[in-house]
Every structure is written in structure tokens, then in C-alpha cells.
């Protein structure tokens, strides 16, 4: 008898399925919106350095490729991600651009990295989805060389990022299967909202010199991409394809209206309220 595919417990964490496929489809939009954040992750990396860099939760590899470009032929750059569709897309991109980046498809909290093998570990929004944060950051610390730097960008709270929940607040009631946001501190987009919680995780995982500072990034994408943004991203993007055509159209209409305060000169503009988290192994 054929296996019946099971629906994941929390669709917001379904990076191997609909979440990953949607991110691949939205890759250009996400790169355009968040591409400028990568500079803050590679700021300490000298051009042409010999560093070995790991990008955690690398997704479709935008940041990984930025690192590879910065390092040139002297360094090495590896992206790790649990999602098959996203790693496949990242590998294809690297090949297309002739970039010297390698990708591992694995769970970063359990992957058996060679010890002391990275000088810099970075992540753009890729470390908030682990089941066990201390296990994950302990595993990453073991993979880091002594004194290696950790540089992460993660979201602050949902309250400080009202843009991020606009669609579900306006149109979520139209979708009975909408996956609820996770518990505070549990895996999910806003898992790192609480500064003290993040500090505790890193300390318990053996990182030192921990610095967690707020950074506000101005982000924008063309208004013509708003419907695509609503359809593919966030909790709505996880279930919209299950709705009938009329419901889908209504969701887009209602959510688009709710985003109008963010529209200016044919662009959707918002502030990403984030933490820049740094530490040393
Ligand atoms: C919000 S996306 C960010 C992707 C990418 N860093 C970017 O900024 O475009 C989160 C990424 O974390 C990955 N991820 C989630 N859990 C993971 C795990 N346990 N190990 C490795 N990657 C994971 C997801 O597959 C997804 O690509």
C-alpha cells in the first residue's frame, strides 16, 4: 500500500514541503527585500580572506553566495539547510554563478560537522526553527574553531514587526487551516524575540563574548509583487494553495488593502526590527 503523506505538525516549520517550495518561488523577491542585510554578516570578513565560513539555514543561498564572492578563491564557504527544495535551488544558483560554495542538506542541530572547522558562522533568519536551541548552538560551537565568530540576524518581536503579521491579521479568518504562530520562545519566526532568552541559549551552549544589539533595516519591494508576497510567505503562504479560487482572491484583496499604509511610490516599504547577535567560540 502506498504511504499517505502526513501533514507536518506545524506548517510554519515545514521547510521541506510547502514552505521551502514557496521560498524558492519567492527567491528573487526575498533577495531584493533582504539582500542588503548580508553586508552586516560579512562585515568582519576581509576581501580575499582565507576564512572558512558556514551559513546556517542558508535557504536558497543568497547570503552564502555573497560570502563566496567576498572570499574569492582563498576561503571556503558552506551553506547548511534542512530543506531539500531550498538546497537544490542553492546548488543550482552556485553553479549558474560559478560560485565556490558547497551546500549540505541536513539538520544543523544534529549534523556531524568536523570539529574546529569554521572561522565564521553566520545566519540570516535561519536559526529560529530548531526543536532544541541549546543542542543546535552547542553543535555549531563544536564546529567552530577556537575564537571563531558567530554573526546572526534574527527577528525581534512580532509587536515590533507589525508588517510581518499584517496579512494574517487582516485575512487569516478566511482560512480555517491557517497555522497558528508558535509559542513564545518556541521554534518559529519570532523565537528570538526575547533578548534574555537568546543570551541564555548562547551562554548555555558555551559561546562567550555575547553581544545582542537591535538593528532596524529599511526594506522594500515593488508593489506589483505584493500579491505574490501574500500568496507565498508567512502562515497564509503555507495554506493559501488549499483554498478555492474565490477564497484565494478574497484573501489577496483583503490582505492587500491592509498593506496599503506601507505602500509609497509604487513600493511596499517596511522596517525589519532585528537583532544582530555576535559571540565567540
Ligand atoms: C526564514 S528561512 C531563511 C533562509 C535564508 N537564510 C535567507 O535569509 O533567505 C529559514 C531557513 O532555515 C532553514 N532551517 C530550518 N530548520 C533548520 C534546521 N534544523 N537545520 C538547518 N536549516 C534549517 C529552513 O529550511 C529555511 O531555509
Amino acid at each position: 500500500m502506498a504511504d499517505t503523506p502526513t501533514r507536518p505538525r506545524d506548517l510554519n516549520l515545514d521547510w521541506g514541503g510547502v514552505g521551502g517550495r514557496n521560498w524558492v518561488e519567492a527567491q528573487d523577491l526575498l533577495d531584493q527585500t533582504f539582500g542588503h542585510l548580508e553586508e552586516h554578516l560579512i562585515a568582519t570578513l576581509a576581501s580575499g580572506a582565507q576564512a572558512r565560513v558556514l551559513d546556517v539555514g542558508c535557504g536558497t543561498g543568497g547570503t552564502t553566495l555573497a560570502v563566496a564572492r567576498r572570499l574569492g578563491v582563498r576561503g571556503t564557504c558552506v551553506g547548511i539547510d534542512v530543506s531539500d527544495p531550498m538546497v537544490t535551488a542553492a546548488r543550482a544558483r552556485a553553479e549558474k554563478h560559478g560560485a565556490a560554495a558547497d551546500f549540505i542538506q541536513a539538520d544543523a542541530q544534529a549534523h556531524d560537522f568536523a570539529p574546529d572547522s569554521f572561522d565564521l558562522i553566520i545566519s540570516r533568519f535561519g536559526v529560529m526553527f530548531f526543536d532544541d536551541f541549546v543542542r543546535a548552538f552547542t553543535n555549531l560551537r563544536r564546529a567552530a574553531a577556537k575564537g571563531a565568530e558567530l554573526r546572526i540576524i534574527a527577528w525581534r518581536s512580532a509587536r515590533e514587526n507589525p508588517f510581518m503579521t499584517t496579512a494574517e491579521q487582516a485575512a487569516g479568518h478566511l482560512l480555517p487551516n491557517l497555522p497558528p504562530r508558535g509559542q513564545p520562545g518556541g521554534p518559529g519566526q519570532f523565537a528570538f524575540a526575547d533578548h534574555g532568552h537568546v543570551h541564555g541559549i548562547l551562554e548555555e551552549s558555551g559561546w562567550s563574548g555575547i553581544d545582542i544589539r537591535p538593528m532596524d533595516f529599511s526594506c522594500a519591494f515593488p508593489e506589483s509583487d505584493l500579491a505574490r508576497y501574500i500568496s507565498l510567505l508567512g502562515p497564509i503562504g503555507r495554506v493559501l494553495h488549499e483554498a478555492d479560487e474565490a477564497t484565494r482572491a478574497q484573501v489577496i484583496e483583503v490582505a492587500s488593502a491592509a498593506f496599503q499604509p506601507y505602500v509609497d511610490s509604487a513600493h511596499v516599504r517596511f522596517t525589519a526590527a532585528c537583532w544582530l547577535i555576535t559571540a565567540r567560540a
Side-chain angles (χ1 to χ4, degrees), residues 15 23 56-59 63 80-83 86 106-109 124-126 129-130:
W15 294 104
W23 269 64
V56 182
C58 63
T63 311
I80 183 167
D81 200 287
V82 75
S83 163
M86 292 172 90
D107 179 348
Q109 80 193 327
R124 186 183 74 184
F125 304 139
F129 306 96
F130 299 120

Side-chain angles (χ1 to χ4, degrees), residues 165-182:
T165 52
T166 298
E168 72 218 58
Q169 284 187 14
H173 64 283
L174 300 168
L175 296 165
N177 297 336
L178 190 78
R181 294 275 182 177

Side-chain angles (χ1 to χ4, degrees), residues 159-245:
R159 188 181 53 76
E160 291 165 282
N161 285 290
F163 179 85
M164 285 291 142
T165 52
T166 298
E168 72 218 58
Q169 284 187 14
H173 64 283
L174 300 168
L175 296 165
N177 297 336
L178 190 78
R181 294 275 182 177
Q183 298 297 313
Q189 182 179 6
F190 299 111
F192 278 18
D194 183 81
H195 170 288
H197 177 61
V198 180
H199 198 283
I201 290 168
L202 293 179
E203 203 165 48
E204 211 184 316
S205 311
W207 290 90
S208 54
I210 301 161
D211 186 73
I212 304 172
R213 60 186 60 189
M215 301 272 286
D216 290 337
F217 299 104
S218 298
C219 299
F221 59 84
E223 187 185 5
S224 53
D225 276 330
L226 183 56
R228 202 152 68 95
Y229 177 91
I230 296 165
S231 312
L232 294 174
L233 299 169
I236 286 191
R238 299 297 208 251
V239 291
L240 194 62
H241 64 284
E242 295 173 357
D244 60 63
E245 206 180 321

